[in-house]
Amino acid sequence: MRIQKFSPKFLIYAIALSVCHGIPGFIPLLPTFQQEYNLNSYEVSNCLAYFSYSAFIGTPITGYLYTKFPKRFFIFIVNFIFFAALLGIAVSPNYASLLFFRVIQGFGSSAMNLLIFLLPAEYYSGLERAKTMGRAIGSIAIGLFITPLVTGYLALYSWRYSVFSLSIPSFFTLILIFYTDLTEKFTKSNTPFTFNQIKQVITAPYILVLLFALFVCAGIDLSVPSLFSLFSAETYNYSSSTIGIIYAFSNFGMFIGSSYLLAMLLRTKHFPLLLFIAGLCVASLLISFTKLPTFMFFIAFFVFFCLDGILNPYLNYSISNGIPTALLTIGITISATFFRAGQGFVTAFFAYLSNIIGYNLTYILMGTVYFIIIVLLIPYVHKQQKNLP
């Protein structure tokens, strides 16, 4: 009897659920690493930054390789690299070894993150593409909710148990690959990478603004929780499990933003105004973050990730719509490269600043920059909403 294969959507969501463990699962572990290896805030941030540097370098490489190998083979190999690196981290004998496997994991993650947006762009169009991208981010949000709870709790016993637990979704994703229908449905992805095509992508209207916004937002998205992890451990003596609980429940906002609010807001002409108001609220919370009462941490995180859950898929959706269909692979590869670069360089920049000027001024700067990015996006969003059918 022939087994009915699953839609690509299920594989997209599974990859999203797996790749989300690359950073969020490690955030509750940062104070543990800091204490065990006697590191300052900048040094311990390398656990995140090295992963992102590798993903940044790996994204254009894996984007190119995606056009050269059979799709199923490519998807399996990059997921296996990610899975094997997690096992390597879990058995690492020292911090240098841990960083080495984080680099390997980042390379696998670069392609997985690319697939989250490339596969929906290949198989779906229009609003269905936006919904699929949004729900992929929603899958990440589910992982963001579950993972910190698990890793934060297991770290009370051993951080190695935490890392082992992160490999479970990747294991099931590897199995699902063989039961997914990967027949081409919308467009082929055999676009060769040439300088002329890169030029066509980056000279498309508003693309550079969207890429810059993605670059900065990706870094702030990672800097806000990672610095909070260190700040709360130093200031309030929060344990890894407490940090995991706060981080996990606040990420429910990302699930709401990406899975529900994005699709709803795309249909309304009031999106630019609502985005401006939301940006103003989030910026205000970030600027005053370290001065907030402790019970407000949940609320501030929830609001921040709710807006982040809207922005991330919206920027990728806009980039995919702003380039010719024939250039989707290279276009999404470029956007994913900017995203990873932001995660690495912007995060390292704010971690370096926090080590020099303190958490308070660093959060003020992050909130200010975040609001400026929202303001830069408003003319583009307004123009797109005027073209709604």
Side-chain angles (χ1 to χ4, degrees):
M1 181 177 178
R2 186 175 180 181
I3 300 176
Q4 182 69 34
K5 290 194 172 184
F6 296 106
S7 161
K9 288 183 181 179
F10 295 101
L11 180 60
I12 293 167
Y13 303 153
I15 294 173
L17 186 60
S18 298
V19 76
C20 75
H21 302 331
I23 289 177
F26 283 80
I27 286 178
L29 309 181
L30 294 183
T32 303
F33 294 145
Q34 187 176 39
Q35 294 171 7
E36 184 170 339
Y37 300 106
N38 192 27
L39 307 170
N40 61 40
S41 59
Y42 174 72
E43 290 171 332
V44 75
S45 72
N46 283 336
C47 182
L48 305 180
Y50 276 39
F51 174 91
S52 298
Y53 295 149
S54 174
F56 163 62
I57 296 171
T59 297
I61 296 174
T62 54
Y64 174 79
L65 294 176
Y66 182 75
T67 66
K68 300 299 181 181
F69 289 98
K71 182 172 300 187
R72 196 181 306 274
F73 173 78
F74 177 87
I75 297 174
F76 178 83
I77 289 298
V78 297
N79 278 270
F80 180 79
I81 290 173
F82 188 85
F83 172 73
L86 278 171
L87 298 183
I89 292 169
V91 298
S92 293
N94 50 54
Y95 193 61
S97 176
L98 185 150
L99 290 180
F100 170 77
F101 282 110
R102 284 290 280 169
V103 170
I104 302 300
Q105 186 191 15
F107 184 82
S109 172
S110 66
M112 293 168 67
N113 189 72
L114 192 63
L115 291 170
I116 294 171
F117 298 104
L118 185 55
L119 292 178
E122 284 188 1
Y123 285 91
Y124 308 103
S125 61
L127 188 58
E128 189 63 27
R129 179 188 294 178
K131 286 181 179 178
T132 305
M133 288 183 177
R135 287 168 183 164
I137 299 298
S139 297
I140 291 178
I142 292 173
L144 291 173
F145 175 78
I146 297 174
T147 303
L149 289 175
V150 175
T151 58
Y153 175 75
L154 291 178
L156 295 176
Y157 302 94
S158 172
W159 63 264
R160 297 180 190 276
Y161 296 160
S162 299
V163 179
F164 270 122
S165 72
L166 298 178
S167 66
I168 296 174
S170 295
F171 176 76
F172 285 105
T173 301
L174 288 171
I175 296 175
L176 182 60
I177 291 171
F178 295 98
Y179 294 94
T180 301
D181 179 11
L182 292 175
T183 305
E184 295 287 354
K185 297 292 178 68
F186 179 66
T187 182
K188 302 285 183 183
S189 60
N190 55 359
T191 307
F193 282 31
T194 66
F195 176 77
N196 184 55
Q197 288 167 328
I198 294 175
K199 182 181 178 181
Q200 283 183 262
V201 170
I202 63 177
T203 55
Y206 281 101
I207 289 296
L208 284 179
V209 174
L210 295 172
L211 290 174
F212 177 72
L214 189 64
F215 171 80
V216 176
C217 288
I220 294 179
D221 168 55
L222 185 54
S223 298
V224 168
S226 60
L227 290 181
F228 168 75
S229 176
L230 300 174
F231 163 74
S232 59
E234 291 179 14
T235 307
Y236 301 105
N237 294 316
Y238 283 176
S239 66
S240 59
S241 61
T242 302
I243 295 169
I245 290 171
I246 295 174
Y247 185 44
F249 280 94
S250 61
N251 273 300
F252 187 62
M254 179 175 285
F255 176 77
I256 293 175
S258 59
S259 298
Y260 297 102
L261 294 181
L262 175 62
M264 181 177 68
L265 292 174
L266 281 175
R267 299 187 181 99
T268 174
K269 300 285 187 179
H270 301 297
F271 186 26
L273 176 61
L274 294 173
L275 184 62
F276 177 83
I277 294 173
L280 185 61
C281 292
V282 169
S284 299
L285 287 171
L286 289 179
I287 288 171
S288 58
F289 190 79
T290 58
K291 303 299 183 182
L292 294 174
T294 53
F295 74 89
M296 282 288 292
F297 287 151
F298 279 99
I299 299 173
F301 265 124
F302 180 87
V303 174
F304 170 73
F305 281 113
C306 189
L307 179 56
D308 196 58
I310 295 171
L311 271 184
N312 194 332
Y314 179 76
L315 289 170
N316 281 282
Y317 164 70
S318 298
I319 291 169
S320 69
N321 279 350
I323 56 180
T325 299
L327 300 177
L328 274 175
T329 300
I330 191 169
I332 293 177
T333 298
I334 291 172
S335 69
T337 303
F338 271 76
F339 179 83
R340 291 302 194 176
Q343 282 191 324
F345 295 109
V346 176
T347 302
F349 171 73
F350 284 122
Y352 176 76
L353 275 185
S354 70
N355 201 46
I356 296 176
I357 64 176
Y359 296 111
N360 184 41
L361 291 177
T362 303
Y363 270 97
I364 290 175
L365 181 61
M366 283 194 291
T368 303
V369 171
Y370 199 75
F371 183 66
I372 292 173
I373 292 299
I374 298 294
V375 171
L376 287 175
L377 283 175
I378 295 299
Y380 170 81
V381 177
H382 181 70
K383 180 181 178 182
Q384 294 305 304
Q385 294 307 104
K386 288 177 67 175
N387 296 328
L388 281 175

PDB file of all heavy atoms in Angstrom, residues 91-103:
ATOM      1  N   VAL A  91      28.558  16.781  24.282  1.00  0.00           N
ATOM      2  CA  VAL A  91      29.663  15.987  24.831  1.00  0.00           C
ATOM      3  C   VAL A  91      30.979  16.762  24.812  1.00  0.00           C
ATOM      4  O   VAL A  91      32.046  16.179  25.043  1.00  0.00           O
ATOM      5  CB  VAL A  91      29.826  14.653  24.053  1.00  0.00           C
ATOM      6  CG1 VAL A  91      28.570  13.809  24.174  1.00  0.00           C
ATOM      7  CG2 VAL A  91      30.144  14.903  22.569  1.00  0.00           C
ATOM      8  N   SER A  92      30.911  18.079  24.551  1.00  0.00           N
ATOM      9  CA  SER A  92      32.136  18.885  24.486  1.00  0.00           C
ATOM     10  C   SER A  92      32.865  18.889  25.824  1.00  0.00           C
ATOM     11  O   SER A  92      32.259  19.156  26.868  1.00  0.00           O
ATOM     12  CB  SER A  92      31.799  20.326  24.088  1.00  0.00           C
ATOM     13  OG  SER A  92      31.318  20.387  22.774  1.00  0.00           O
ATOM     14  N   PRO A  93      34.186  18.652  25.810  1.00  0.00           N
ATOM     15  CA  PRO A  93      34.943  18.610  27.064  1.00  0.00           C
ATOM     16  C   PRO A  93      35.322  19.984  27.613  1.00  0.00           C
ATOM     17  O   PRO A  93      35.646  20.120  28.780  1.00  0.00           O
ATOM     18  CB  PRO A  93      36.203  17.823  26.677  1.00  0.00           C
ATOM     19  CG  PRO A  93      36.379  18.112  25.217  1.00  0.00           C
ATOM     20  CD  PRO A  93      34.992  18.217  24.660  1.00  0.00           C
ATOM     21  N   ASN A  94      35.269  21.032  26.761  1.00  0.00           N
ATOM     22  CA  ASN A  94      35.654  22.374  27.222  1.00  0.00           C
ATOM     23  C   ASN A  94      34.926  23.424  26.392  1.00  0.00           C
ATOM     24  O   ASN A  94      34.226  23.105  25.425  1.00  0.00           O
ATOM     25  CB  ASN A  94      37.173  22.574  27.122  1.00  0.00           C
ATOM     26  CG  ASN A  94      37.719  22.199  25.749  1.00  0.00           C
ATOM     27  OD1 ASN A  94      37.242  22.694  24.727  1.00  0.00           O
ATOM     28  ND2 ASN A  94      38.705  21.319  25.721  1.00  0.00           N
ATOM     29  N   TYR A  95      35.114  24.690  26.763  1.00  0.00           N
ATOM     30  CA  TYR A  95      34.390  25.775  26.106  1.00  0.00           C
ATOM     31  C   TYR A  95      34.843  25.977  24.660  1.00  0.00           C
ATOM     32  O   TYR A  95      34.034  26.307  23.789  1.00  0.00           O
ATOM     33  CB  TYR A  95      34.567  27.075  26.897  1.00  0.00           C
ATOM     34  CG  TYR A  95      33.624  28.165  26.479  1.00  0.00           C
ATOM     35  CD1 TYR A  95      32.250  27.993  26.597  1.00  0.00           C
ATOM     36  CD2 TYR A  95      34.104  29.374  25.969  1.00  0.00           C
ATOM     37  CE1 TYR A  95      31.374  28.996  26.222  1.00  0.00           C
ATOM     38  CE2 TYR A  95      33.233  30.383  25.593  1.00  0.00           C
ATOM     39  CZ  TYR A  95      31.862  30.187  25.723  1.00  0.00           C
ATOM     40  OH  TYR A  95      30.994  31.181  25.347  1.00  0.00           O
ATOM     41  N   ALA A  96      36.128  25.781  24.402  1.00  0.00           N
ATOM     42  CA  ALA A  96      36.634  25.918  23.032  1.00  0.00           C
ATOM     43  C   ALA A  96      35.966  24.897  22.111  1.00  0.00           C
ATOM     44  O   ALA A  96      35.593  25.208  20.979  1.00  0.00           O
ATOM     45  CB  ALA A  96      38.154  25.750  23.010  1.00  0.00           C
ATOM     46  N   SER A  97      35.818  23.679  22.609  1.00  0.00           N
ATOM     47  CA  SER A  97      35.157  22.634  21.832  1.00  0.00           C
ATOM     48  C   SER A  97      33.696  22.978  21.607  1.00  0.00           C
ATOM     49  O   SER A  97      33.148  22.773  20.522  1.00  0.00           O
ATOM     50  CB  SER A  97      35.273  21.292  22.559  1.00  0.00           C
ATOM     51  OG  SER A  97      34.562  20.288  21.871  1.00  0.00           O
ATOM     52  N   LEU A  98      33.062  23.533  22.641  1.00  0.00           N
ATOM     53  CA  LEU A  98      31.668  23.935  22.520  1.00  0.00           C
ATOM     54  C   LEU A  98      31.505  24.979  21.418  1.00  0.00           C
ATOM     55  O   LEU A  98      30.590  24.896  20.588  1.00  0.00           O
ATOM     56  CB  LEU A  98      31.180  24.477  23.860  1.00  0.00           C
ATOM     57  CG  LEU A  98      29.700  24.856  24.000  1.00  0.00           C
ATOM     58  CD1 LEU A  98      29.248  24.662  25.440  1.00  0.00           C
ATOM     59  CD2 LEU A  98      29.456  26.303  23.587  1.00  0.00           C
ATOM     60  N   LEU A  99      32.412  25.976  21.400  1.00  0.00           N
ATOM     61  CA  LEU A  99      32.345  27.009  20.373  1.00  0.00           C
ATOM     62  C   LEU A  99      32.580  26.431  18.975  1.00  0.00           C
ATOM     63  O   LEU A  99      31.964  26.866  18.003  1.00  0.00           O
ATOM     64  CB  LEU A  99      33.369  28.108  20.661  1.00  0.00           C
ATOM     65  CG  LEU A  99      33.089  29.010  21.858  1.00  0.00           C
ATOM     66  CD1 LEU A  99      34.206  30.038  22.011  1.00  0.00           C
ATOM     67  CD2 LEU A  99      31.747  29.708  21.724  1.00  0.00           C
ATOM     68  N   PHE A 100      33.465  25.443  18.887  1.00  0.00           N
ATOM     69  CA  PHE A 100      33.725  24.798  17.594  1.00  0.00           C
ATOM     70  C   PHE A 100      32.448  24.160  17.039  1.00  0.00           C
ATOM     71  O   PHE A 100      32.090  24.355  15.867  1.00  0.00           O
ATOM     72  CB  PHE A 100      34.819  23.742  17.739  1.00  0.00           C
ATOM     73  CG  PHE A 100      34.990  22.873  16.521  1.00  0.00           C
ATOM     74  CD1 PHE A 100      35.653  23.345  15.400  1.00  0.00           C
ATOM     75  CD2 PHE A 100      34.458  21.585  16.487  1.00  0.00           C
ATOM     76  CE1 PHE A 100      35.803  22.551  14.265  1.00  0.00           C
ATOM     77  CE2 PHE A 100      34.594  20.789  15.362  1.00  0.00           C
ATOM     78  CZ  PHE A 100      35.266  21.275  14.247  1.00  0.00           C
ATOM     79  N   PHE A 101      31.752  23.404  17.879  1.00  0.00           N
ATOM     80  CA  PHE A 101      30.526  22.753  17.421  1.00  0.00           C
ATOM     81  C   PHE A 101      29.396  23.766  17.195  1.00  0.00           C
ATOM     82  O   PHE A 101      28.491  23.520  16.399  1.00  0.00           O
ATOM     83  CB  PHE A 101      30.091  21.665  18.403  1.00  0.00           C
ATOM     84  CG  PHE A 101      30.888  20.396  18.274  1.00  0.00           C
ATOM     85  CD1 PHE A 101      31.785  20.012  19.261  1.00  0.00           C
ATOM     86  CD2 PHE A 101      30.752  19.593  17.157  1.00  0.00           C
ATOM     87  CE1 PHE A 101      32.523  18.843  19.138  1.00  0.00           C
ATOM     88  CE2 PHE A 101      31.484  18.421  17.017  1.00  0.00           C
ATOM     89  CZ  PHE A 101      32.378  18.046  18.016  1.00  0.00           C
ATOM     90  N   ARG A 102      29.460  24.898  17.912  1.00  0.00           N
ATOM     91  CA  ARG A 102      28.484  25.950  17.637  1.00  0.00           C
ATOM     92  C   ARG A 102      28.686  26.517  16.226  1.00  0.00           C
ATOM     93  O   ARG A 102      27.718  26.876  15.544  1.00  0.00           O
ATOM     94  CB  ARG A 102      28.618  27.076  18.671  1.00  0.00           C
ATOM     95  CG  ARG A 102      28.033  26.744  20.019  1.00  0.00           C
ATOM     96  CD  ARG A 102      26.529  26.669  19.966  1.00  0.00           C
ATOM     97  NE  ARG A 102      25.914  27.993  20.005  1.00  0.00           N
ATOM     98  CZ  ARG A 102      24.632  28.229  19.771  1.00  0.00           C
ATOM     99  NH1 ARG A 102      23.829  27.232  19.435  1.00  0.00           N
ATOM    100  NH2 ARG A 102      24.135  29.447  19.850  1.00  0.00           N
ATOM    101  N   VAL A 103      29.927  26.600  15.797  1.00  0.00           N
ATOM    102  CA  VAL A 103      30.215  27.047  14.438  1.00  0.00           C
ATOM    103  C   VAL A 103      29.639  26.056  13.420  1.00  0.00           C
ATOM    104  O   VAL A 103      29.012  26.450  12.428  1.00  0.00           O
ATOM    105  CB  VAL A 103      31.736  27.209  14.229  1.00  0.00           C
ATOM    106  CG1 VAL A 103      32.063  27.432  12.759  1.00  0.00           C
ATOM    107  CG2 VAL A 103      32.262  28.372  15.067  1.00  0.00           C
TER     108      VAL A 103
END
